[in-house]
Amino acid sequence: MCLEQQQARRSTLAATALMLAISASTALAREPLYGALDHADLLRCEDLFWHGHAAEARSCYHLLETASTPITIRAEASWALGDLQGANSLFQEAVKAEPKNALLRVRWGELYLQTYQYNEAETLFDEALAIDGKNPWAKIGSAEALSKGGGDSATINKLMTDVVENDFTPAGVRYRGLLMLLHNALGKDQFEQADKVIKDARAAAESGKLPQLELYALEAANAFMTFKPYQAYIDQALHEDPAYGDAWAIPGRFAMMTRRYRESGAFYEKAVLVQPDHWQAHLELGQNYMRLNQISAGVDHIHTSFDGDKFNPTTINLMRMLEVFLNQTEAFSFPNPPEGPFPKLSLRLNKSESSVLKDYVRELAEAGMATYQKRYRFTPTEPVVIEVYPNHEDFVVRSVGMPGVGLLGVTFGYLLAMDSPTAHARSESYHWGTTLWHELAHVYTVEASSHLVPRWYTEGISVFEEWRTGPIPGRKIPLDVYKAMAEGKFLPVEKLDDGFMRPTYENQVIVSYMQGGLVIDFINSEFGFDKIVDMLELFGKGVKLKDAVQQSLGISVDVFDKQFKQYIDIEYGKLLKNLPGWQADRKTAFAALEKEDWQGAVDAAKRAVFAFPDYVEADSAYIALARGYSRLNDKDNEFRTLETFWQKGGYASRALLALGNDYIERNDTEHAFKVFKDVVWADPFSQELHSKLGDLYMTHKEAAKALREYLVLLSLNPPDQADANYKVATAYQAMNDKDKTMQYVMTALDVAPQYRPAQSLLLELSRSTTAKQ
Amino acid sequence: MKLSLILRRSALHLVAALAVVPALSQAALYISIVQGLGGQPLYDEQFVDARKIIEAASNTITDADKVFSFSGERATRAALLKHFTELGKKMATGDRAAIYLIGHGSFDGETYKFNIPGPDLTAQDLKSILEHLPGRNHFLVNTSSTSGAMLETLVGKGDKASNPAFVVISATRNGNERNATQFGRYFAEALRNKDADLNKNNNISIQEAFDYAEKQVSTHFQDESKLSTEHAQLRGDGATLFNLARLNASEQKAELASASGKLVELLKKRKDLEAQIEDLQVRRSQLNNADYLARFQQLILQSAEVSEQIEAAQKANGPIKPMIEADPALPKPPGGTRVP
């Protein structure tokens, strides 16, 4: 969850959200009263409703819409009939008439909860508690409003404890509290705790003769998640109410949260079948279809959900995103036509930037797919689909339904979505190539394990692959993680998923990513790469982590943790001791640059580089050192510094462009090529990059590749249109395409009639045509 | 399709520009450069550098006696107002004036002021100066902080407002952009940088200098990982045809001085062809696409052939020695290291 709240600053982290633990957006249909009210006529209607007699229930509620019915009950009837505005007005009137009635405010708050207005709901529950500080309904409502609105967990826990662990709490409200605890336990994979809560809840339901629909549905979810038969529980819920869509939707939601999208979809399909007006289920089914690359089915269900419930912010966000997705996306498939039953790779790119990105995304994706297929012994059985979004919020809404989340990429199985380089300011040093590489690894690890791999394990592999096989190899570990390492904040592997899903300190998600990568690196170093894949396959068979470690590595998880700690001490012990000194030198170097003390900057940066030569982020000492040398006019040392920076995996694009130019000056085109190609994975929208790369290809007589670069340059609308068009013309000329050459050279000359190179090319074309005639 | 679109856009641009800039080539150009107070050695140095570059560039595009430079104690309000009054008397209706203001500015919410020794120049002063110059097609660039605040006085309210009589550039969008600006040094640098010469005609127009400086400012803030604190504005028509500097002026002068009769004839022929091409581009909208392309191609080919002959003749004459060597005292280009 923290990942969704935290802006991942580092491109190399390629923060992802495989696990969509979005409990805050669980279904908000009207719930049974559980004894909150005791009006006999209303209860009769409720009884009909919760036993699947919808038509009779409606007639019953309509009978309550008379002036002789208490206003509170009329509000409840309007609510049940779907007239939420009418219910709201009636509650308002009722509160005005009975300002000291706490329960009235509680019920009004529940109405706000259903319409996703958590702050307003919380205010009403607070007002109820101000009237009656012990009111358990207000406490449970408040806990739910805070939980859905992202409130403080300590406050929520206190409210829950007050209700659930109080012997004097009425059975109905305690039961509702237990159901909330059960949702929570299942969301955290705490299955033993879930079993205990189920027992308590059952006892409470039976003693209070309360509806057990939701409890059965939760038991089904519990059984599904623990690989036990679950159908009987669903049947029991449906026996009680044949139109109870949540009997399927609740297990569906937990299947979705554990990334089992196919199973989740099957649950939701049945949910909307038994309850066609379950708008939340339509929404989640729609999102699920979208994740499974069944776009039109997804769009249909999202539209159905919106038509039925126009209050849901997730649906509204998705509708807005779909506008962009459906109208501005350009799709490409490779190979085209497919060599088998389906293309291997599909790209969905925004039309505004597909001309720049298409070839590079394809090149990197195909390289990654070949790498991962071999390494993870898995051949995709569907096309891998990559969606790239220039608008970060569109990407986030596509991924989790709500904006304002700091993700960079998300993988749903065969489909991955990610931020385009243009979704970030260039100064943010977002490395899109690494993000793609990271996400693509998930496709293989998730699918190879039938979506059963633990979160930390798949993230660890993705981080490990970034370091080992990615576009910028080498461990990239942010400073915060070293600090956490020094403070002994790494978790035992059995608890490592908590670091992703239930972080307890700032940046713990990032620390967990890095620990995951290091753990996989440790397995690779100490036990061999095959063991990593063996464990993945064991997870696919449903083997739990503890047993997978034992079976695959021959040691217990405790011994594994001890050995990993020793490994970290050996790898980083010395560095961690030197960390404060290194940081001080690095800061001194940049401060000296500010003061134009070039030699001081060089001296401090050299010390920092010596202490920690592998740190190559944009604020690394290499950058300060190169700047210092540049100012001292020491070109040779500037070049060597940049070269080392690059060789260690540095990717700051301006630095690499400078290095590439140095290589060209030194006639080392082989290295210049490599450096410029690396810039493609970091900053593909750099005009200088494509101009230089195109020139290099032309020098190497690879006109088709040069043309690609020059056309990309042209699509970036460079200020020097004459030169860009001329370059395209020269590439076409080298490919013997006279018409195209003429077209582009004339365009160049129209912009700049006196542009001599273009004039010469035109003359050459004209003379060769005349000679042939 | 791509070709015709690009041609159309380009031609329309020229039409719009030429409509308000008649017979530019015959007009005399008077350039006034004002260096304001730096306040700190760092800014003093920057402003001196910019002034020197602009002075040198101005001498490539007009006669030395038409370039006036004011700095230090000479740059007072009284002296400047006197200078512009006299200039107004000297200039003919078809002449043009270019005014550079290099320095700091201030804006108190009502009045923009360009900071010079003694009383400052106000936006109203600048308006009066421009309005009292004879004719039209004048240019003023103000590189100071808050310079955007003068725009309302000079050209009126709104982002699209302009005055048909002159082109105005401010380094900032409005009076709220108060930080010392980067725009001025890049604008000055554009006047001698061939990268700014986007139409490859060896002249730097107002538009080219503006585009170059605007891009460099954007890169500057990007490299510093900072939000841009200035957003330059250009108002008025004709910026593409108003040249501020010639890049190879000394070579051209030397070439003409030492040219043989044949070479002089070729150079004249090329100039005529260039004028015909420009004329054709202006009339683009009156022709159908095929006609235009055929005529354009014919003229370009002729121009290319003549250029080729010129180069052959030049080669035969040996390398041209510039009449004026590049001034070694001129400041180096702005910007620091290549690595951000």
Side-chain angles (χ1 to χ4, degrees), chain A residues 691-747:
Chain A
S691 178
K692 290 279 164 57
L693 205 45
D695 293 349
L696 274 177
Y697 280 127
M698 284 299 280
T699 311
H700 277 239
K701 305 206 178 309
E702 294 183 80
K705 288 183 180 172
L707 178 64
R708 176 178 91 166
E709 299 303 327
Y710 290 150
L711 286 174
V712 170
L713 170 68
L714 204 53
S715 73
L716 290 168
N717 195 22
D720 196 342
Q721 286 283 315
D723 190 56
N725 278 282
Y726 168 71
K727 281 176 188 290
V728 175
T730 58
Y732 274 124
Q733 188 199 24
M735 294 164 72
N736 292 319
D737 187 336
K738 285 194 176 168
D739 288 346
K740 290 279 187 191
T741 309
M742 180 60 93
Q743 179 188 332
Y744 282 93
V745 78
M746 286 297 287
T747 307

Side-chain angles (χ1 to χ4, degrees), chain A residues 465-481:
Chain A
E465 290 296 347
E466 282 180 37
W467 296 342
R468 285 298 173 118
T469 60
I472 41 167
R475 283 181 190 166
K476 307 283 185 306
I477 299 179
L479 282 180
D480 289 348
V481 178

Side-chain angles (χ1 to χ4, degrees), chain A residues 174-195:
Chain A
R174 184 165 177 273
Y175 175 61
R176 189 175 152 196
L178 288 167
L179 292 179
M180 284 171 66
L181 288 181
L182 188 48
H183 275 281
N184 192 51
L186 291 176
K188 291 179 177 173
D189 293 348
Q190 294 169 348
F191 301 113
E192 283 177 20
Q193 170 70 8
D195 286 340

Side-chain angles (χ1 to χ4, degrees), chain A residues 368-381 414 440-450 457 461 465 523-524 527-541 551-553:
Chain A
M369 288 161 70
T371 302
Y372 293 140
Q373 182 164 327
K374 197 171 166 195
R375 283 169 74 79
Y376 292 96
R377 310 172 203 153
F378 178 81
T379 305
T381 55
Y414 281 106
L440 202 54
H442 283 311
V443 173
Y444 287 79
T445 51
V446 168
E447 290 297 335
S449 68
S450 306
Y457 199 83
I461 287 179
E465 290 296 347
I523 299 173
N524 178 60
F527 302 93
F529 181 77
D530 281 348
K531 298 291 181 191
I532 296 169
V533 188
D534 291 346
M535 281 176 69
L536 199 60
E537 288 172 355
L538 289 172
F539 293 134
K541 290 172 187 161
Q551 285 178 39
S552 179
L553 309 181

Side-chain angles (χ1 to χ4, degrees), chain A residues 623 627 630-631 638 654 658 662 719-720 742 746-747 749-752 754-756 759 762-763 767, chain B residues 3 6-7 10 198-200 223 274 281 292 296-297 300 303 305 307-308 311 336-340:
Chain A
I623 298 291
R627 278 195 202 173
S630 171
R631 292 292 194 171
E638 183 198 3
R654 287 285 300 279
D662 284 348
D720 196 342
M742 180 60 93
M746 286 297 287
T747 307
L749 285 164
D750 182 64
V751 177
Q754 297 163 50
Y755 189 28
R756 281 298 294 137
Q759 285 188 344
L762 180 66
L763 269 182
R767 282 169 185 159
Chain B
L3 177 64
I6 289 174
L7 292 176
S10 170
L198 298 179
N199 65 0
K200 320 289 181 192
D223 288 351
E274 284 166 6
Q281 287 186 318
Y292 170 76
F296 181 72
Q297 188 171 336
I300 287 281
S303 175
E305 276 170 355
S307 291
E308 195 177 65
E311 279 164 11
T337 59
R338 300 170 306 154
V339 180

Side-chain angles (χ1 to χ4, degrees), chain A residues 25 38 118 139 406 418 431 586 609 620 632 688 727 737:
Chain A
S25 68
D38 58 3
Y118 308 122
K139 285 184 180 178
M418 59 182 279
H431 197 278
R586 194 178 56 84
V609 163
S620 86
L632 292 170
E688 184 185 353
K727 281 176 188 290
D737 187 336

